[in-house]
Structures are given as structure tokens and as C-alpha cells.
PDB file of all heavy atoms in Angstrom:
ATOM      1  N   HIS A   1     124.999  98.186 117.875  1.00 98.00           N
ATOM      2  CA  HIS A   1     124.555  99.568 117.676  1.00 98.00           C
ATOM      3  C   HIS A   1     124.965  99.999 116.268  1.00 98.00           C
ATOM      4  O   HIS A   1     124.185 100.614 115.560  1.00 98.00           O
ATOM      5  CB  HIS A   1     125.177 100.469 118.742  1.00 98.00           C
ATOM      6  CG  HIS A   1     124.621 101.852 118.759  1.00 98.00           C
ATOM      7  ND1 HIS A   1     123.277 102.122 118.853  1.00 98.00           N
ATOM      8  CD2 HIS A   1     125.233 103.072 118.673  1.00 98.00           C
ATOM      9  CE1 HIS A   1     123.077 103.432 118.839  1.00 98.00           C
ATOM     10  NE2 HIS A   1     124.244 104.027 118.723  1.00 98.00           N
ATOM     11  N   GLY A   2     126.192  99.684 115.866  1.00 98.00           N
ATOM     12  CA  GLY A   2     126.638  99.733 114.478  1.00 98.00           C
ATOM     13  C   GLY A   2     126.180 100.926 113.668  1.00 98.00           C
ATOM     14  O   GLY A   2     125.480 100.765 112.667  1.00 98.00           O
ATOM     15  N   THR A   3     126.602 102.127 114.044  1.00 98.00           N
ATOM     16  CA  THR A   3     126.061 103.331 113.415  1.00 98.00           C
ATOM     17  C   THR A   3     126.702 103.694 112.080  1.00 98.00           C
ATOM     18  O   THR A   3     126.227 104.586 111.396  1.00 98.00           O
ATOM     19  CB  THR A   3     126.218 104.546 114.343  1.00 98.00           C
ATOM     20  OG1 THR A   3     127.599 104.695 114.679  1.00 98.00           O
ATOM     21  CG2 THR A   3     125.384 104.387 115.591  1.00 98.00           C
ATOM     22  N   SER A   4     127.811 103.058 111.724  1.00 97.00           N
ATOM     23  CA  SER A   4     128.555 103.406 110.514  1.00 97.00           C
ATOM     24  C   SER A   4     129.384 104.673 110.709  1.00 97.00           C
ATOM     25  O   SER A   4     129.801 105.301 109.745  1.00 97.00           O
ATOM     26  CB  SER A   4     127.620 103.562 109.298  1.00 97.00           C
ATOM     27  OG  SER A   4     128.350 103.599 108.095  1.00 97.00           O
ATOM     28  N   THR A   5     129.624 105.038 111.961  1.00 97.00           N
ATOM     29  CA  THR A   5     130.544 106.136 112.253  1.00 97.00           C
ATOM     30  C   THR A   5     131.904 105.546 112.601  1.00 97.00           C
ATOM     31  O   THR A   5     132.009 104.396 113.034  1.00 97.00           O
ATOM     32  CB  THR A   5     130.045 106.997 113.424  1.00 97.00           C
ATOM     33  OG1 THR A   5     129.855 106.173 114.582  1.00 97.00           O
ATOM     34  CG2 THR A   5     128.732 107.684 113.074  1.00 97.00           C
ATOM     35  N   GLY A   6     132.938 106.360 112.417  1.00 96.00           N
ATOM     36  CA  GLY A   6     134.298 105.867 112.635  1.00 96.00           C
ATOM     37  C   GLY A   6     134.529 105.322 114.023  1.00 96.00           C
ATOM     38  O   GLY A   6     135.007 104.194 114.199  1.00 96.00           O
ATOM     39  N   LEU A   7     134.180 106.096 115.056  1.00 97.00           N
ATOM     40  CA  LEU A   7     134.479 105.684 116.423  1.00 97.00           C
ATOM     41  C   LEU A   7     133.541 104.606 116.933  1.00 97.00           C
ATOM     42  O   LEU A   7     133.970 103.650 117.574  1.00 97.00           O
ATOM     43  CB  LEU A   7     134.430 106.897 117.364  1.00 97.00           C
ATOM     44  CG  LEU A   7     135.599 107.872 117.269  1.00 97.00           C
ATOM     45  CD1 LEU A   7     135.450 108.983 118.307  1.00 97.00           C
ATOM     46  CD2 LEU A   7     136.941 107.169 117.463  1.00 97.00           C
ATOM     47  N   ASN A   8     132.228 104.714 116.667  1.00 97.00           N
ATOM     48  CA  ASN A   8     131.310 103.702 117.199  1.00 97.00           C
ATOM     49  C   ASN A   8     131.692 102.312 116.727  1.00 97.00           C
ATOM     50  O   ASN A   8     131.813 101.378 117.526  1.00 97.00           O
ATOM     51  CB  ASN A   8     129.866 103.977 116.803  1.00 97.00           C
ATOM     52  CG  ASN A   8     128.934 102.864 117.297  1.00 97.00           C
ATOM     53  OD1 ASN A   8     128.363 102.952 118.376  1.00 97.00           O
ATOM     54  ND2 ASN A   8     128.793 101.802 116.530  1.00 97.00           N
ATOM     55  N   ASP A   9     131.876 102.144 115.427  1.00 98.00           N
ATOM     56  CA  ASP A   9     132.104 100.797 114.899  1.00 98.00           C
ATOM     57  C   ASP A   9     133.428 100.221 115.386  1.00 98.00           C
ATOM     58  O   ASP A   9     133.530  99.018 115.665  1.00 98.00           O
ATOM     59  CB  ASP A   9     132.067 100.822 113.376  1.00 98.00           C
ATOM     60  CG  ASP A   9     130.677 101.171 112.831  1.00 98.00           C
ATOM     61  OD1 ASP A   9     129.792 101.516 113.633  1.00 98.00           O
ATOM     62  OD2 ASP A   9     130.492 101.105 111.608  1.00 98.00           O
ATOM     63  N   LEU A  10     134.429 101.076 115.503  1.00 98.00           N
ATOM     64  CA  LEU A  10     135.729 100.625 116.013  1.00 98.00           C
ATOM     65  C   LEU A  10     135.624 100.245 117.486  1.00 98.00           C
ATOM     66  O   LEU A  10     136.030  99.150 117.897  1.00 98.00           O
ATOM     67  CB  LEU A  10     136.777 101.710 115.827  1.00 98.00           C
ATOM     68  CG  LEU A  10     138.136 101.450 116.487  1.00 98.00           C
ATOM     69  CD1 LEU A  10     138.800 100.200 115.913  1.00 98.00           C
ATOM     70  CD2 LEU A  10     139.045 102.668 116.343  1.00 98.00           C
ATOM     71  N   TYR A  11     135.053 101.134 118.287  1.00 98.00           N
ATOM     72  CA  TYR A  11     135.001 100.893 119.726  1.00 98.00           C
ATOM     73  C   TYR A  11     134.034  99.768 120.080  1.00 98.00           C
ATOM     74  O   TYR A  11     134.272  99.006 121.024  1.00 98.00           O
ATOM     75  CB  TYR A  11     134.619 102.176 120.465  1.00 98.00           C
ATOM     76  CG  TYR A  11     135.699 103.228 120.505  1.00 98.00           C
ATOM     77  CD1 TYR A  11     135.430 104.514 120.967  1.00 98.00           C
ATOM     78  CD2 TYR A  11     137.002 102.949 120.085  1.00 98.00           C
ATOM     79  CE1 TYR A  11     136.421 105.491 121.020  1.00 98.00           C
ATOM     80  CE2 TYR A  11     137.998 103.913 120.125  1.00 98.00           C
ATOM     81  CZ  TYR A  11     137.700 105.181 120.584  1.00 98.00           C
ATOM     82  OH  TYR A  11     138.685 106.145 120.645  1.00 98.00           O
ATOM     83  N   GLU A  12     132.941  99.633 119.330  1.00 98.00           N
ATOM     84  CA  GLU A  12     132.028  98.534 119.619  1.00 98.00           C
ATOM     85  C   GLU A  12     132.689  97.198 119.303  1.00 98.00           C
ATOM     86  O   GLU A  12     132.524  96.221 120.046  1.00 98.00           O
ATOM     87  CB  GLU A  12     130.725  98.689 118.831  1.00 98.00           C
ATOM     88  CG  GLU A  12     129.655  97.693 119.253  1.00 98.00           C
ATOM     89  CD  GLU A  12     128.275  98.009 118.702  1.00 98.00           C
ATOM     90  OE1 GLU A  12     128.152  98.877 117.805  1.00 98.00           O
ATOM     91  OE2 GLU A  12     127.298  97.389 119.181  1.00 98.00           O
ATOM     92  N   THR A  13     133.456  97.150 118.231  1.00 98.00           N
ATOM     93  CA  THR A  13     134.206  95.933 117.907  1.00 98.00           C
ATOM     94  C   THR A  13     135.213  95.619 119.010  1.00 98.00           C
ATOM     95  O   THR A  13     135.337  94.464 119.448  1.00 98.00           O
ATOM     96  CB  THR A  13     134.931  96.095 116.558  1.00 98.00           C
ATOM     97  OG1 THR A  13     133.952  96.231 115.515  1.00 98.00           O
ATOM     98  CG2 THR A  13     135.807  94.894 116.253  1.00 98.00           C
ATOM     99  N   MET A  14     135.928  96.638 119.475  1.00 98.00           N
ATOM    100  CA  MET A  14     136.895  96.444 120.567  1.00 98.00           C
ATOM    101  C   MET A  14     136.189  95.949 121.825  1.00 98.00           C
ATOM    102  O   MET A  14     136.703  95.071 122.537  1.00 98.00           O
ATOM    103  CB  MET A  14     137.640  97.746 120.839  1.00 98.00           C
ATOM    104  CG  MET A  14     138.542  98.211 119.697  1.00 98.00           C
ATOM    105  SD  MET A  14     139.260  99.859 119.968  1.00 98.00           S
ATOM    106  CE  MET A  14     140.410  99.518 121.313  1.00 98.00           C
ATOM    107  N   ALA A  15     135.010  96.515 122.109  1.00 98.00           N
ATOM    108  CA  ALA A  15     134.268  96.120 123.304  1.00 98.00           C
ATOM    109  C   ALA A  15     133.800  94.671 123.215  1.00 98.00           C
ATOM    110  O   ALA A  15     133.868  93.914 124.200  1.00 98.00           O
ATOM    111  CB  ALA A  15     133.070  97.050 123.492  1.00 98.00           C
ATOM    112  N   ILE A  16     133.341  94.256 122.041  1.00 98.00           N
ATOM    113  CA  ILE A  16     132.903  92.866 121.855  1.00 98.00           C
ATOM    114  C   ILE A  16     134.066  91.914 122.077  1.00 98.00           C
ATOM    115  O   ILE A  16     133.935  90.877 122.743  1.00 98.00           O
ATOM    116  CB  ILE A  16     132.286  92.698 120.452  1.00 98.00           C
ATOM    117  CG1 ILE A  16     130.944  93.433 120.368  1.00 98.00           C
ATOM    118  CG2 ILE A  16     132.093  91.214 120.111  1.00 98.00           C
ATOM    119  CD1 ILE A  16     130.376  93.556 118.975  1.00 98.00           C
ATOM    120  N   LYS A  17     135.237  92.248 121.552  1.00 98.00           N
ATOM    121  CA  LYS A  17     136.422  91.407 121.760  1.00 98.00           C
ATOM    122  C   LYS A  17     136.814  91.361 123.234  1.00 98.00           C
ATOM    123  O   LYS A  17     137.236  90.313 123.755  1.00 98.00           O
ATOM    124  CB  LYS A  17     137.578  91.927 120.917  1.00 98.00           C
ATOM    125  CG  LYS A  17     137.392  91.754 119.413  1.00 98.00           C
ATOM    126  CD  LYS A  17     138.587  92.336 118.655  1.00 98.00           C
ATOM    127  CE  LYS A  17     138.434  92.175 117.163  1.00 98.00           C
ATOM    128  NZ  LYS A  17     139.577  92.760 116.410  1.00 98.00           N
ATOM    129  N   GLU A  18     136.660  92.488 123.913  1.00 98.00           N
ATOM    130  CA  GLU A  18     137.010  92.544 125.329  1.00 98.00           C
ATOM    131  C   GLU A  18     136.094  91.657 126.161  1.00 98.00           C
ATOM    132  O   GLU A  18     136.545  90.937 127.061  1.00 98.00           O
ATOM    133  CB  GLU A  18     136.924  94.001 125.811  1.00 98.00           C
ATOM    134  CG  GLU A  18     137.110  94.197 127.301  1.00 98.00           C
ATOM    135  CD  GLU A  18     138.494  93.854 127.810  1.00 98.00           C
ATOM    136  OE1 GLU A  18     139.458  93.894 127.009  1.00 98.00           O
ATOM    137  OE2 GLU A  18     138.630  93.533 129.011  1.00 98.00           O
ATOM    138  N   VAL A  19     134.804  91.676 125.846  1.00 98.00           N
ATOM    139  CA  VAL A  19     133.826  90.918 126.639  1.00 98.00           C
ATOM    140  C   VAL A  19     133.845  89.431 126.291  1.00 98.00           C
ATOM    141  O   VAL A  19     133.777  88.575 127.175  1.00 98.00           O
ATOM    142  CB  VAL A  19     132.407  91.492 126.434  1.00 98.00           C
ATOM    143  CG1 VAL A  19     131.360  90.599 127.103  1.00 98.00           C
ATOM    144  CG2 VAL A  19     132.321  92.908 126.989  1.00 98.00           C
ATOM    145  N   PHE A  20     133.976  89.108 124.999  1.00 98.00           N
ATOM    146  CA  PHE A  20     133.787  87.730 124.555  1.00 98.00           C
ATOM    147  C   PHE A  20     135.087  86.998 124.227  1.00 98.00           C
ATOM    148  O   PHE A  20     135.073  85.788 123.986  1.00 98.00           O
ATOM    149  CB  PHE A  20     132.851  87.698 123.339  1.00 98.00           C
ATOM    150  CG  PHE A  20     131.469  88.195 123.654  1.00 98.00           C
ATOM    151  CD1 PHE A  20     131.120  89.511 123.403  1.00 98.00           C
ATOM    152  CD2 PHE A  20     130.530  87.358 124.230  1.00 98.00           C
ATOM    153  CE1 PHE A  20     129.851  89.986 123.705  1.00 98.00           C
ATOM    154  CE2 PHE A  20     129.265  87.816 124.541  1.00 98.00           C
ATOM    155  CZ  PHE A  20     128.922  89.137 124.281  1.00 98.00           C
ATOM    156  N   GLY A  21     136.212  87.713 124.222  1.00 98.00           N
ATOM    157  CA  GLY A  21     137.489  87.070 123.965  1.00 98.00           C
ATOM    158  C   GLY A  21     137.510  86.373 122.613  1.00 98.00           C
ATOM    159  O   GLY A  21     136.964  86.869 121.621  1.00 98.00           O
ATOM    160  N   ALA A  22     138.115  85.185 122.552  1.00 97.00           N
ATOM    161  CA  ALA A  22     138.221  84.443 121.291  1.00 97.00           C
ATOM    162  C   ALA A  22     136.847  84.063 120.744  1.00 97.00           C
ATOM    163  O   ALA A  22     136.672  83.908 119.530  1.00 97.00           O
ATOM    164  CB  ALA A  22     139.063  83.188 121.502  1.00 97.00           C
ATOM    165  N   LYS A  23     135.849  83.930 121.619  1.00 97.00           N
ATOM    166  CA  LYS A  23     134.484  83.595 121.213  1.00 97.00           C
ATOM    167  C   LYS A  23     133.892  84.658 120.281  1.00 97.00           C
ATOM    168  O   LYS A  23     132.997  84.374 119.475  1.00 97.00           O
ATOM    169  CB  LYS A  23     133.613  83.438 122.462  1.00 97.00           C
ATOM    170  CG  LYS A  23     132.115  83.416 122.250  1.00 97.00           C
ATOM    171  CD  LYS A  23     131.602  82.111 121.698  1.00 97.00           C
ATOM    172  CE  LYS A  23     130.084  82.100 121.682  1.00 97.00           C
ATOM    173  NZ  LYS A  23     129.508  80.883 121.097  1.00 97.00           N
ATOM    174  N   ALA A  24     134.405  85.902 120.360  1.00 98.00           N
ATOM    175  CA  ALA A  24     133.876  86.994 119.550  1.00 98.00           C
ATOM    176  C   ALA A  24     133.898  86.663 118.065  1.00 98.00           C
ATOM    177  O   ALA A  24     133.017  87.098 117.309  1.00 98.00           O
ATOM    178  CB  ALA A  24     134.658  88.278 119.816  1.00 98.00           C
ATOM    179  N   TYR A  25     134.889  85.882 117.645  1.00 98.00           N
ATOM    180  CA  TYR A  25     135.025  85.567 116.216  1.00 98.00           C
ATOM    181  C   TYR A  25     134.011  84.529 115.748  1.00 98.00           C
ATOM    182  O   TYR A  25     133.828  84.331 114.551  1.00 98.00           O
ATOM    183  CB  TYR A  25     136.447  85.089 115.938  1.00 98.00           C
ATOM    184  CG  TYR A  25     137.466  86.199 116.113  1.00 98.00           C
ATOM    185  CD1 TYR A  25     138.121  86.389 117.328  1.00 98.00           C
ATOM    186  CD2 TYR A  25     137.753  87.077 115.070  1.00 98.00           C
ATOM    187  CE1 TYR A  25     139.026  87.419 117.495  1.00 98.00           C
ATOM    188  CE2 TYR A  25     138.671  88.107 115.227  1.00 98.00           C
ATOM    189  CZ  TYR A  25     139.295  88.280 116.443  1.00 98.00           C
ATOM    190  OH  TYR A  25     140.203  89.304 116.610  1.00 98.00           O
ATOM    191  N   ASP A  26     133.326  83.889 116.698  1.00 97.00           N
ATOM    192  CA  ASP A  26     132.320  82.882 116.348  1.00 97.00           C
ATOM    193  C   ASP A  26     130.898  83.435 116.385  1.00 97.00           C
ATOM    194  O   ASP A  26     129.959  82.727 116.012  1.00 97.00           O
ATOM    195  CB  ASP A  26     132.400  81.695 117.319  1.00 97.00           C
ATOM    196  CG  ASP A  26     133.758  81.004 117.279  1.00 97.00           C
ATOM    197  OD1 ASP A  26     134.347  80.961 116.190  1.00 97.00           O
ATOM    198  OD2 ASP A  26     134.207  80.537 118.342  1.00 97.00           O
ATOM    199  N   ILE A  27     130.744  84.672 116.849  1.00 98.00           N
ATOM    200  CA  ILE A  27     129.410  85.241 117.036  1.00 98.00           C
ATOM    201  C   ILE A  27     129.058  86.151 115.861  1.00 98.00           C
ATOM    202  O   ILE A  27     129.785  87.106 115.585  1.00 98.00           O
ATOM    203  CB  ILE A  27     129.337  86.064 118.344  1.00 98.00           C
ATOM    204  CG1 ILE A  27     129.752  85.238 119.555  1.00 98.00           C
ATOM    205  CG2 ILE A  27     127.917  86.607 118.541  1.00 98.00           C
ATOM    206  CD1 ILE A  27     129.853  86.040 120.848  1.00 98.00           C
ATOM    207  N   PRO A  28     127.965  85.893 115.147  1.00 98.00           N
ATOM    208  CA  PRO A  28     127.519  86.841 114.121  1.00 98.00           C
ATOM    209  C   PRO A  28     127.173  88.187 114.768  1.00 98.00           C
ATOM    210  O   PRO A  28     126.464  88.229 115.779  1.00 98.00           O
ATOM    211  CB  PRO A  28     126.271  86.185 113.530  1.00 98.00           C
ATOM    212  CG  PRO A  28     126.343  84.753 113.935  1.00 98.00           C
ATOM    213  CD  PRO A  28     127.077  84.724 115.235  1.00 98.00           C
ATOM    214  N   VAL A  29     127.690  89.255 114.190  1.00 98.00           N
ATOM    215  CA  VAL A  29     127.458  90.616 114.679  1.00 98.00           C
ATOM    216  C   VAL A  29     126.936  91.434 113.504  1.00 98.00           C
ATOM    217  O   VAL A  29     127.648  91.599 112.513  1.00 98.00           O
ATOM    218  CB  VAL A  29     128.756  91.261 115.206  1.00 98.00           C
ATOM    219  CG1 VAL A  29     128.489  92.698 115.673  1.00 98.00           C
ATOM    220  CG2 VAL A  29     129.378  90.435 116.324  1.00 98.00           C
ATOM    221  N   SER A  30     125.715  91.918 113.571  1.00 98.00           N
ATOM    222  CA  SER A  30     125.224  92.695 112.433  1.00 98.00           C
ATOM    223  C   SER A  30     124.563  93.986 112.867  1.00 98.00           C
ATOM    224  O   SER A  30     124.087  94.118 113.999  1.00 98.00           O
ATOM    225  CB  SER A  30     124.246  91.873 111.585  1.00 98.00           C
ATOM    226  OG  SER A  30     123.055  91.575 112.270  1.00 98.00           O
ATOM    227  N   SER A  31     124.560  94.944 111.952  1.00 98.00           N
ATOM    228  CA  SER A  31     123.874  96.217 112.164  1.00 98.00           C
ATOM    229  C   SER A  31     122.763  96.351 111.140  1.00 98.00           C
ATOM    230  O   SER A  31     123.031  96.381 109.931  1.00 98.00           O
ATOM    231  CB  SER A  31     124.839  97.392 112.028  1.00 98.00           C
ATOM    232  OG  SER A  31     124.126  98.612 112.028  1.00 98.00           O
ATOM    233  N   ILE A  32     121.524  96.466 111.609  1.00 98.00           N
ATOM    234  CA  ILE A  32     120.401  96.618 110.685  1.00 98.00           C
ATOM    235  C   ILE A  32     120.181  98.081 110.309  1.00 98.00           C
ATOM    236  O   ILE A  32     119.273  98.394 109.530  1.00 98.00           O
ATOM    237  CB  ILE A  32     119.113  96.001 111.255  1.00 98.00           C
ATOM    238  CG1 ILE A  32     118.688  96.709 112.546  1.00 98.00           C
ATOM    239  CG2 ILE A  32     119.298  94.512 111.491  1.00 98.00           C
ATOM    240  CD1 ILE A  32     117.314  96.277 113.050  1.00 98.00           C
ATOM    241  N   LYS A  33     121.022  98.962 110.824  1.00 98.00           N
ATOM    242  CA  LYS A  33     120.882 100.387 110.483  1.00 98.00           C
ATOM    243  C   LYS A  33     121.179 100.653 109.013  1.00 98.00           C
ATOM    244  O   LYS A  33     120.771 101.691 108.482  1.00 98.00           O
ATOM    245  CB  LYS A  33     121.780 101.225 111.380  1.00 98.00           C
ATOM    246  CG  LYS A  33     121.299 101.313 112.831  1.00 98.00           C
ATOM    247  CD  LYS A  33     122.197 102.199 113.671  1.00 98.00           C
ATOM    248  CE  LYS A  33     121.617 102.438 115.058  1.00 98.00           C
ATOM    249  NZ  LYS A  33     121.639 101.244 115.916  1.00 98.00           N
ATOM    250  N   ALA A  34     121.885  99.740 108.351  1.00 97.00           N
ATOM    251  CA  ALA A  34     122.117  99.902 106.914  1.00 97.00           C
ATOM    252  C   ALA A  34     120.851  99.604 106.118  1.00 97.00           C
ATOM    253  O   ALA A  34     120.767  99.945 104.937  1.00 97.00           O
ATOM    254  CB  ALA A  34     123.254  98.989 106.456  1.00 97.00           C
ATOM    255  N   ALA A  35     119.869  98.988 106.756  1.00 98.00           N
ATOM    256  CA  ALA A  35     118.597  98.680 106.080  1.00 98.00           C
ATOM    257  C   ALA A  35     117.509  99.680 106.426  1.00 98.00           C
ATOM    258  O   ALA A  35     116.793 100.162 105.540  1.00 98.00           O
ATOM    259  CB  ALA A  35     118.130  97.273 106.455  1.00 98.00           C
ATOM    260  N   ILE A  36     117.378 100.016 107.719  1.00 98.00           N
ATOM    261  CA  ILE A  36     116.267 100.876 108.158  1.00 98.00           C
ATOM    262  C   ILE A  36     116.726 102.250 108.615  1.00 98.00           C
ATOM    263  O   ILE A  36     115.910 103.071 109.036  1.00 98.00           O
ATOM    264  CB  ILE A  36     115.449 100.207 109.283  1.00 98.00           C
ATOM    265  CG1 ILE A  36     116.305 100.010 110.540  1.00 98.00           C
ATOM    266  CG2 ILE A  36     114.859  98.892 108.804  1.00 98.00           C
ATOM    267  CD1 ILE A  36     115.509  99.566 111.765  1.00 98.00           C
ATOM    268  N   GLY A  37     118.032 102.517 108.535  1.00 98.00           N
ATOM    269  CA  GLY A  37     118.552 103.780 109.023  1.00 98.00           C
ATOM    270  C   GLY A  37     118.691 103.765 110.536  1.00 98.00           C
ATOM    271  O   GLY A  37     118.344 102.791 111.218  1.00 98.00           O
ATOM    272  N   HIS A  38     119.210 104.860 111.059  1.00 98.00           N
ATOM    273  CA  HIS A  38     119.340 105.009 112.509  1.00 98.00           C
ATOM    274  C   HIS A  38     118.020 105.580 113.018  1.00 98.00           C
ATOM    275  O   HIS A  38     117.727 106.761 112.822  1.00 98.00           O
ATOM    276  CB  HIS A  38     120.502 105.948 112.827  1.00 98.00           C
ATOM    277  CG  HIS A  38     120.889 105.958 114.267  1.00 98.00           C
ATOM    278  ND1 HIS A  38     120.085 105.455 115.269  1.00 98.00           N
ATOM    279  CD2 HIS A  38     122.009 106.422 114.891  1.00 98.00           C
ATOM    280  CE1 HIS A  38     120.697 105.608 116.431  1.00 98.00           C
ATOM    281  NE2 HIS A  38     121.859 106.193 116.233  1.00 98.00           N
ATOM    282  N   THR A  39     117.228 104.748 113.643  1.00 98.00           N
ATOM    283  CA  THR A  39     115.886 105.142 114.060  1.00 98.00           C
ATOM    284  C   THR A  39     115.857 105.766 115.457  1.00 98.00           C
ATOM    285  O   THR A  39     114.799 105.834 116.096  1.00 98.00           O
ATOM    286  CB  THR A  39     114.916 103.952 113.989  1.00 98.00           C
ATOM    287  OG1 THR A  39     115.448 102.855 114.725  1.00 98.00           O
ATOM    288  CG2 THR A  39     114.682 103.529 112.542  1.00 98.00           C
ATOM    289  N   LEU A  40     117.008 106.198 115.937  1.00 97.00           N
ATOM    290  CA  LEU A  40     117.106 107.002 117.148  1.00 97.00           C
ATOM    291  C   LEU A  40     116.339 106.374 118.312  1.00 97.00           C
ATOM    292  O   LEU A  40     116.638 105.251 118.701  1.00 97.00           O
ATOM    293  CB  LEU A  40     116.648 108.430 116.849  1.00 97.00           C
ATOM    294  CG  LEU A  40     117.398 109.122 115.691  1.00 97.00           C
ATOM    295  CD1 LEU A  40     116.849 110.520 115.439  1.00 97.00           C
ATOM    296  CD2 LEU A  40     118.898 109.184 115.942  1.00 97.00           C
ATOM    297  N   SER A  41     115.337 107.051 118.865  1.00 97.00           N
ATOM    298  CA  SER A  41     114.703 106.512 120.075  1.00 97.00           C
ATOM    299  C   SER A  41     113.791 105.322 119.815  1.00 97.00           C
ATOM    300  O   SER A  41     113.290 104.709 120.762  1.00 97.00           O
ATOM    301  CB  SER A  41     113.933 107.611 120.816  1.00 97.00           C
ATOM    302  OG  SER A  41     113.053 108.308 119.967  1.00 97.00           O
ATOM    303  N   ALA A  42     113.581 104.959 118.547  1.00 98.00           N
ATOM    304  CA  ALA A  42     112.861 103.714 118.244  1.00 98.00           C
ATOM    305  C   ALA A  42     113.829 102.547 118.095  1.00 98.00           C
ATOM    306  O   ALA A  42     113.409 101.383 118.064  1.00 98.00           O
ATOM    307  CB  ALA A  42     112.049 103.862 116.953  1.00 98.00           C
ATOM    308  N   GLY A  43     115.120 102.840 117.986  1.00 98.00           N
ATOM    309  CA  GLY A  43     116.104 101.813 117.662  1.00 98.00           C
ATOM    310  C   GLY A  43     116.147 100.654 118.640  1.00 98.00           C
ATOM    311  O   GLY A  43     116.242  99.492 118.234  1.00 98.00           O
ATOM    312  N   GLY A  44     116.083 100.936 119.926  1.00 98.00           N
ATOM    313  CA  GLY A  44     116.152  99.863 120.912  1.00 98.00           C
ATOM    314  C   GLY A  44     115.052  98.835 120.720  1.00 98.00           C
ATOM    315  O   GLY A  44     115.282  97.629 120.768  1.00 98.00           O
ATOM    316  N   ALA A  45     113.818  99.308 120.480  1.00 98.00           N
ATOM    317  CA  ALA A  45     112.686  98.390 120.294  1.00 98.00           C
ATOM    318  C   ALA A  45     112.778  97.655 118.961  1.00 98.00           C
ATOM    319  O   ALA A  45     112.578  96.436 118.896  1.00 98.00           O
ATOM    320  CB  ALA A  45     111.371  99.165 120.383  1.00 98.00           C
ATOM    321  N   LEU A  46     113.086  98.382 117.879  1.00 98.00           N
ATOM    322  CA  LEU A  46     113.142  97.743 116.561  1.00 98.00           C
ATOM    323  C   LEU A  46     114.280  96.732 116.477  1.00 98.00           C
ATOM    324  O   LEU A  46     114.145  95.673 115.856  1.00 98.00           O
ATOM    325  CB  LEU A  46     113.292  98.802 115.473  1.00 98.00           C
ATOM    326  CG  LEU A  46     112.041  99.651 115.216  1.00 98.00           C
ATOM    327  CD1 LEU A  46     112.356 100.812 114.273  1.00 98.00           C
ATOM    328  CD2 LEU A  46     110.911  98.802 114.642  1.00 98.00           C
ATOM    329  N   GLU A  47     115.402  97.030 117.106  1.00 98.00           N
ATOM    330  CA  GLU A  47     116.528  96.106 117.082  1.00 98.00           C
ATOM    331  C   GLU A  47     116.303  94.938 118.039  1.00 98.00           C
ATOM    332  O   GLU A  47     116.773  93.828 117.792  1.00 98.00           O
ATOM    333  CB  GLU A  47     117.814  96.882 117.353  1.00 98.00           C
ATOM    334  CG  GLU A  47     118.117  97.824 116.175  1.00 98.00           C
ATOM    335  CD  GLU A  47     119.172  98.881 116.457  1.00 98.00           C
ATOM    336  OE1 GLU A  47     119.966  98.707 117.407  1.00 98.00           O
ATOM    337  OE2 GLU A  47     119.208  99.881 115.712  1.00 98.00           O
TER     338      GLU A  47
END
């Protein structure tokens, strides 16, 4: 989801570590919102 807000990026990172454990460090995690902006209700489809 990677919104570039303080809480989202921190909590999403924590959630990924919680779900994937040590594997989290091997998985590429990217936010395309830095390229196309936060497209709100289009975001789910575009992402």
C-alpha cells in the first residue's frame, strides 16, 4: 500500500515481518505510489 505516510509505512513493514518472518527480507516490496500517486479507489486495480 506504501502511502509514504509515517504510520502506514511503519505498520505495513511490521505487518510484513509478522506474516513472513525471516522470509520478509528476501521478498521485494515496492510502492508504485511514488510514480503514479495515490490513485485512491483506482489503486487496487492499478496495483
Side-chain angles (χ1 to χ4, degrees):
H1 189 54
T3 57
S4 193
T5 57
L7 286 183
N8 177 93
D9 294 7
L10 172 62
Y11 288 170
E12 189 168 12
T13 295
M14 294 173 70
I16 290 169
K17 291 179 180 179
E18 173 66 24
V19 172
F20 297 96
K23 166 76 173 177
Y25 292 93
D26 299 326
I27 304 173
V29 178
S30 66
S31 171
I32 62 172
K33 288 182 172 70
I36 64 171
H38 191 344
T39 53
L40 304 178
S41 51
L46 288 171
E47 292 166 20

